[in-house]
Amino acid sequence: MPYGKKVMIKDYQFNFGGNNSEYYVFACFKYHGEIFAIYANTVNPEYKLFYGSAHITNDILVVLGTMNPKEVDSIKNFIVKLINNQDISEYEIISLDKVNRIEIIGANDFPLKKDIIDKLIDISIPKDDTKKEDVVLIKTDPVKKKKYSKFIALILFIIIGFGGAFVYLNREIIFGSEKEVICVKQLDNAYNATVDQTILFKFNNQDVLTGYTMTNLYTFETDEDYQDFSLAGRYFHIFDNVSSDMLTLVPNVENKTYQVGYTMSPLVDYFGPTEYYSVFDYYETDGYTCSNRE
């Protein structure tokens, strides 16, 4: 459910915005006894996220700055979990139902990538109601079947059923079987993290490569390195030849791991071996450990 809302500015004491400016308040939450708010101007050319300690008075959200590094880390951790749909039960969400305006006494900010701000808007700010189209159901009377048609249909069903069962039970003998091969390798450390690469190759029943999935798993030692990698969007630069909309991202805040991968099927710009047995020789020579996937 959305945690934030769009509100008007009531008053401000720092140099941005205007009297008629609107702000996205992405969330207001309590953590270790303190209440914080994260927000951004709806016109945000520099892509900054503002944050600060907060309280609610009547219909006004009053925000001040915060300078405690531990508080900033908690705010960043909340953002990482929120945008990745992870458990945020340790944070108590404060309702903004009665809030219509924001009063900014002081604020801090840090830069945030446009796609992350867009994602915060998408998951935190309620959407306008959309009209539901009426669906007209047209009732039709069933066509009466003749007895001999039912008999013929039953015979066909039996024949198809037995034929299908035979093919299914003997599909590997008749058609051959599809195969999968997994190759793994530890890459050089990057972004202050250990990097394990996994490639899953898929072959058709003719032992010809039809596609593959490549995944890098980054394991970080510190929360700071993990947050820097995640919030700065560094995962977009892992596979330069792959567009961002093809990436599969699996973050894990608790374990400080971030999995970045993509799937290529059908094959595009792939220059490696395409035959089943050739994959083992080619990639094991390059330091990978390969095995069949059951």
Side-chain angles (χ1 to χ4, degrees):
M1 60 175 292
Y3 299 111
K5 67 189 306 184
K6 186 190 293 185
V7 298
M8 295 294 297
I9 185 75
K10 175 185 178 293
D11 192 16
Y12 60 96
Q13 293 185 0
F14 55 97
N15 188 24
F16 78 95
N19 291 332
N20 295 322
S21 295
E22 289 184 309
Y23 285 80
Y24 292 123
V25 179
F26 299 121
C28 185
F29 58 88
K30 180 184 289 187
Y31 184 73
H32 290 176
E34 295 290 333
I35 296 177
F36 302 99
I38 54 175
Y39 58 100
N41 196 325
T42 56
V43 179
N44 191 358
E46 297 179 348
Y47 302 114
K48 291 182 178 180
L49 184 88
F50 295 89
Y51 61 90
S53 58
H55 66 270
I56 297 175
T57 302
N58 298 323
D59 66 339
I60 302 171
L61 175 66
V62 181
V63 186
L64 300 90
T66 179
M67 298 301 294
N68 188 330
K70 293 183 178 179
E71 293 177 351
V72 179
D73 289 341
S74 300
I75 291 169
K76 289 183 176 180
N77 199 43
F78 173 82
I79 295 170
V80 171
K81 289 189 174 185
L82 182 63
I83 64 175
N84 291 296
N85 195 29
Q86 295 187 329
D87 181 25
I88 55 172
S89 58
E90 61 186 303
Y91 300 89
E92 180 185 343
I93 301 298
I94 306 299
S95 174
L96 298 173
D97 288 346
K98 297 181 180 180
V99 172
N100 296 315
R101 295 177 293 171
I102 183 171
E103 182 174 356
I104 304 169
I105 306 301
N108 300 99
D109 65 81
F110 53 79
L112 207 58
K113 285 182 67 66
K114 179 181 181 299
D115 68 290
I116 296 182
I117 289 183
D118 289 343
K119 191 167 186 178
L120 284 172
I121 294 172
D122 183 58
I123 64 179
S124 298
I125 307 302
K127 308 295 185 299
D128 294 334
D129 292 336
T130 56
K131 295 181 179 180
K132 296 182 179 179
E133 297 181 357
D134 295 331
V135 178
V136 179
L137 298 179
I138 301 176
K139 296 183 178 180
T140 58
D141 293 330
V143 180
K144 295 181 179 180
K145 304 294 184 180
K146 294 182 180 180
K147 290 184 178 180
Y148 72 88
S149 297
K150 292 183 179 179
F151 177 76
I152 293 175
L154 178 61
I155 295 299
L156 289 174
F157 177 78
I158 293 174
I159 293 174
I160 293 172
F162 277 108
F166 175 81
V167 171
Y168 178 78
L169 294 174
N170 297 274
R171 59 193 183 280
E172 291 190 6
I173 297 175
I174 298 173
F175 301 114
S177 60
E178 296 180 349
K179 298 182 178 68
E180 292 184 345
V181 174
I182 289 183
C183 295
V184 296
K185 176 182 179 180
Q186 187 169 55
L187 306 181
D188 293 336
N189 288 6
Y191 302 107
N192 295 327
T194 59
V195 186
D196 295 298
Q197 185 171 89
T198 301
I199 312 176
L200 171 63
F201 298 95
K202 293 191 176 185
F203 299 85
N204 63 15
N205 51 19
Q206 302 298 319
D207 288 350
V208 177
L209 184 66
T210 58
Y212 66 92
T213 298
M214 180 174 290
T215 304
N216 283 9
L217 178 65
Y218 292 80
T219 303
F220 298 88
E221 288 291 334
T222 68
D223 290 329
E224 182 180 359
D225 289 334
Y226 176 86
Q227 291 172 353
D228 177 66
F229 182 86
S230 177
L231 294 178
R234 304 194 188 284
Y235 40 82
F236 284 121
H237 305 291
I238 303 304
F239 303 110
D240 290 333
N241 60 330
V242 178
S243 61
S244 60
D245 59 341
M246 292 178 59
L247 294 178
T248 300
L249 309 174
V250 183
N252 189 310
V253 178
E254 284 74 15
N255 294 332
K256 296 190 287 293
T257 62
Y258 210 108
Q259 182 175 295
V260 185
Y262 71 94
T263 297
M264 190 64 68
S265 180
L267 298 176
V268 178
D269 295 333
Y270 173 77
F271 302 102
T274 58
E275 296 182 355
Y276 175 73
Y277 291 104
S278 300
V279 165
F280 288 88
D281 293 336
Y282 182 88
Y283 283 93
E284 287 182 345
T285 301
D286 195 30
Y288 289 84
T289 300
C290 299
S291 61
N292 290 310
R293 178 174 176 175
E294 300 295 336

